[in-house]
Amino acid sequence: MNRLFGSAPKAPKPTLNSAISNIDSRISTFDVKIASLNAELGTYQTKLSKMREGPGKSALKAKALKVLQRRRQYEAQREQLRSQVWNMEQAQTMRDNLAGVMTTVDAMKTTQKELRKQYGKVDLDRIERMQDEMADLMDVGNEINETLSRGYDVPEDVDEAELDAELELLGAELEMDSGAMEAGGVPDFMRDEVPDFIDEPPEASSKVQEVAR
């Protein structure tokens, strides 16, 4: 038959999510059954509280005991299913964590390859030479700054005694020059030799007039 009509399509493999969903639905079924049995036990409890001791009450107690036994069986089965769900959820958590770890490892590998490509293009020797050149340039700049900031030789400070003597000497020279001017003479700085091409030297009064002008 398979040769004539082909093989039957393969069913998809179950996953943890689908398995957990199936078990959760079964747990819900047990919850409904247990709730129904609890309601039935409640009815028996109401009736037994109103009955007197006798065969009727004993028969009703036997029925209630069977219902209680069935409820406990359902509860035990429900707990087993819940344990299965818990184990599968733990496995799913581990799988998700592992997937996250693998993603992180892949990202780190990719980053490592990119870093190798980038740093592989860097010439460390060239960087060191550049650093040495920069250091040399900084030294040259410092020397230039020191040269430009070097102070020139400035005369030493003059004390008050030297200043008074210099002023007194200048005052005496000015008095001598003013006295010569008033006497009609020629000051020392104007007493130059007469050139050879001049026959007679100019009069002193004319020089004084020219100076006055």
Side-chain angles (χ1 to χ4, degrees), residues 57-122:
K57 189 175 183 180
S58 299
L60 191 59
K61 284 184 178 180
K63 291 182 180 180
L65 182 59
K66 291 182 179 179
V67 172
L68 181 59
Q69 291 176 350
R70 290 173 56 191
R71 193 193 71 177
R72 288 181 177 178
Q73 290 177 355
Y74 288 155
E75 288 176 348
Q77 292 177 1
R78 184 180 65 180
E79 291 301 321
Q80 290 178 355
L81 293 178
R82 286 179 175 176
S83 298
Q84 294 179 11
V85 170
W86 169 254
N87 292 332
M88 286 188 291
E89 287 177 348
Q90 293 299 313
Q92 187 177 20
T93 301
M94 293 177 60
R95 183 197 64 182
D96 295 339
N97 292 337
L98 181 60
V101 171
M102 294 305 297
T103 302
T104 303
V105 171
D106 292 339
M108 293 177 65
K109 288 182 179 179
T110 304
T111 304
Q112 184 179 12
K113 291 180 180 179
E114 293 177 355
L115 291 175
R116 285 182 178 177
K117 291 180 181 178
Q118 295 295 329
Y119 286 110
K121 299 177 182 178
V122 176

Side-chain angles (χ1 to χ4, degrees), residues 18-31 81 85:
S18 61
I20 291 173
S21 298
N22 291 333
I23 294 178
D24 284 338
S25 62
R26 292 176 60 186
I27 290 174
S28 299
T29 301
F30 281 111
D31 290 336
L81 293 178
V85 170

